[in-house]
Amino acid sequence: MVENQKKFNAYVFISTFARSLIETFIPLLLFKYGYSLKEVVLYFLIYNFIELIISYPLVYIATKKGNKVLAIFGFIGFVLTQIMLNRMYKGLSYLIIIGTLYAVYRAGYWLSRRYFNLKVIHKNNISSTYSVVTIVNQLALVFAGYIGSLFLDFIGTGVLTLIAIILYIISIIPLFMFKFEHDETNTDVKINLFKTLKDVSFNNVYIFGSYEILNVIKFFFTLYLYIYVKNTYQTVGLFNLVTNVSVMLFAFYYGKKTDGKKNYLKLSIILTCLVYAIKANAVSILLVFISLIEGIAIKMYEISMNKEMYSLSKKFEYNNYNLMYEIVCKVFRFVVLFICYLFIDDLKMMIYLSILVILVGIFINIKKIRKKDFEFE
């Protein structure tokens, strides 16, 4: 287990660095090329819809061929996405193509990464182990985005995407060096999404789904900083740098604090929503300061939520649980983005709607599942 943890950490660090060089800036590349705000939101909507419908078949493949196969799907999607970023043209067909390729990459990457994360931490202390993974993740994030912004502002997309592809290839090596007591494939597993959803309960489903709206808010704020603060990639990269530094410094301390029975989930939801509401109206130095506090708030929220998510995962067969989580996340994202695309024209109002969806979580209690732990290995 210790060796697998080290290999997983190496995989997370290199793959996160590779992805983060350019991933954050995709909506900005589209906007700068000439796509409108609504069209950029449509791209993100398409991506979430495609990822929603391919999650089930990908998990089914994983039960037959193993989750490493999903990582390969993710790699192919990543490479093709990078190629298409260098072949940009105006039109709905491009949004569909780039959204679909991005969905294949993200689904393959996150389904396999979450599955192996579940396996690696299964017999370890959840909060401490997850906080270590978080720090490794943040170490990669701290400078990757800013480095990527410098390349985009001064060199161009081509060189940056080539570097990202090379690093992504390197990241897969430790993934294929994992060694578990039993093979990860299980041809006897039956994918039963609706039963898993029923057993998990509505309360937990809402907490999981609303948490993933954080990614929608981050997507909106990438555009917000570029449109309303300064029209450079460095602006976004710099603010992300500030946020990620505070995340990294806070992660391990808070992970240790949640090792006990006490959880700060509701407090972290309130703090996160408050920070984003202020950030949407902040200017100058206040915007920099609130970005620093943002890192603390979202990491407190993430670790608190993931402690519950990983604790609950021990009660279920992991492929079914992984699929459930993926479907729930994409449904929540899709609904919010669909409403934004059809009915909201103002970027701030899109942010406020997303904040409201998350804030509802303070009125919902995590429901403990009274069933025996699933024997994973």
Side-chain angles (χ1 to χ4, degrees):
M1 274 296 182
V2 174
E3 287 302 313
N4 284 334
Q5 178 73 63
K6 292 178 181 178
K7 294 168 187 173
F8 184 74
N9 289 344
Y11 166 65
V12 168
F13 178 83
I14 303 172
S15 64
T16 300
F17 190 90
R19 297 183 305 108
S20 302
L21 283 170
I22 196 167
E23 186 171 272
T24 303
F25 305 106
I26 293 178
L28 302 186
L29 289 167
L30 292 170
F31 187 79
K32 191 172 182 179
Y33 191 79
Y35 285 97
S36 67
L37 173 63
K38 278 295 190 77
E39 288 173 324
V40 177
V41 172
L42 178 60
Y43 143 75
F44 205 54
L45 181 65
I46 291 169
Y47 142 62
N48 278 278
F49 176 71
I50 297 297
E51 192 170 359
L52 175 64
I53 62 177
I54 67 175
S55 294
Y56 187 100
L58 285 180
V59 171
Y60 179 81
I61 291 171
T63 63
K64 307 303 178 185
K65 302 296 183 180
N67 278 268
K68 291 174 184 176
V69 173
L70 297 192
I72 298 299
F73 273 105
F75 168 71
I76 294 172
F78 182 81
V79 172
L80 294 177
T81 299
Q82 305 312 304
I83 292 173
M84 286 304 299
L85 288 175
N86 290 278
R87 300 287 188 273
M88 196 173 289
Y89 63 88
K90 194 79 163 55
L92 177 60
S93 62
Y94 182 80
L95 294 180
I96 294 173
I97 293 170
I98 194 71
T100 300
L101 293 175
Y102 188 66
V104 172
Y105 140 59
R106 292 277 297 187
Y109 177 80
W110 280 108
L111 282 169
S112 58
R113 172 170 162 171
R114 192 180 302 118
Y115 177 88
F116 287 117
N117 201 11
L118 290 169
K119 289 199 72 169
V120 167
I121 74 172
H122 180 65
K123 294 180 179 178
N124 297 334
N125 182 288
I126 292 172
S127 294
S128 294
T129 305
Y130 186 78
S131 64
V132 170
V133 174
T134 298
I135 290 172
V136 170
N137 194 74
Q138 290 306 135
L139 281 170
L141 283 172
V142 165
F143 295 108
Y146 189 65
I147 292 171
S149 71
L150 293 174
F151 269 86
L152 289 173
D153 275 332
F154 298 111
I155 298 176
T157 309
V159 176
L160 184 61
T161 53
L162 178 61
I163 293 172
I165 290 171
I166 293 171
L167 288 174
Y168 202 103
I169 293 172
I170 295 172
S171 76
I172 296 178
I173 297 173
L175 184 69
F176 284 86
M177 296 170 65
F178 286 159
K179 293 181 180 179
F180 295 104
E181 293 177 16
H182 301 289
D183 185 76
E184 53 160 321
T185 57
N186 189 346
T187 55
D188 295 328
V189 169
K190 293 183 178 180
I191 303 300
N192 197 330
L193 174 62
F194 294 107
K195 184 179 185 304
T196 306
L197 282 169
K198 181 181 177 181
D199 290 345
V200 168
S201 88
F202 171 80
N203 286 29
N204 299 336
V205 164
Y206 190 90
I207 292 296
F208 295 162
S210 59
Y211 164 74
E212 281 295 320
I213 300 302
L214 269 182
N215 287 305
V216 176
I217 293 179
K218 291 174 184 177
F219 170 82
F220 288 150
F221 266 111
T222 297
L223 290 163
Y224 179 84
L225 291 170
Y226 186 83
I227 295 171
Y228 295 108
V229 180
K230 192 174 182 181
N231 300 129
T232 66
Y233 296 109
Q234 285 181 78
T235 302
V236 177
L238 186 59
F239 277 103
N240 286 345
L241 175 63
V242 172
T243 300
N244 287 324
V245 166
S246 67
V247 167
M248 184 181 67
L249 295 176
F250 184 69
F252 190 72
Y253 167 76
Y254 184 69
K256 299 294 286 185
K257 289 286 287 183
T258 57
D259 281 349
K261 293 182 178 180
K262 194 171 184 179
N263 199 335
Y264 300 89
L265 181 60
K266 291 189 177 182
L267 176 61
S268 66
I269 290 175
I270 294 172
L271 182 59
T272 298
C273 292
L274 180 62
V275 163
Y276 279 128
I278 296 173
K279 186 175 180 178
N281 296 280
V283 294
S284 189
I285 298 300
L286 178 59
L287 187 56
V288 177
F289 176 74
I290 206 67
S291 295
L292 187 65
I293 303 301
E294 176 190 353
I296 296 173
I298 62 175
K299 191 48 57 178
M300 183 178 180
Y301 186 13
E302 178 186 320
I303 295 178
S304 297
M305 204 291 300
N306 278 290
K307 178 183 178 182
E308 300 294 346
M309 192 268 281
Y310 285 118
S311 295
L312 187 62
S313 71
K314 292 187 175 185
K315 307 292 182 181
F316 297 90
E317 190 281 319
Y318 284 15
N319 281 297
N320 274 287
Y321 190 82
N322 203 9
L323 175 63
M324 176 279 301
Y325 188 86
E326 192 72 13
I327 294 295
V328 166
C329 294
K330 296 308 171 291
V331 167
F332 269 72
R333 287 197 214 172
F334 179 81
V335 171
V336 170
L337 288 165
F338 187 73
I339 294 172
C340 290
Y341 179 72
L342 285 185
F343 304 111
I344 303 176
D345 295 316
D346 182 67
L347 184 55
K348 277 192 178 182
M349 292 305 298
M350 294 180 185
I351 292 171
Y352 292 148
L353 172 64
S354 304
I355 291 172
L356 181 61
V357 173
I358 295 176
L359 190 61
V360 171
I362 66 174
F363 302 106
I364 298 174
N365 294 318
I366 285 283
K367 186 175 180 181
K368 303 298 181 182
I369 306 299
R370 300 183 181 278
K371 61 184 289 189
K372 185 179 178 182
D373 285 3
F374 177 77
E375 294 298 326
F376 190 64
E377 287 187 339

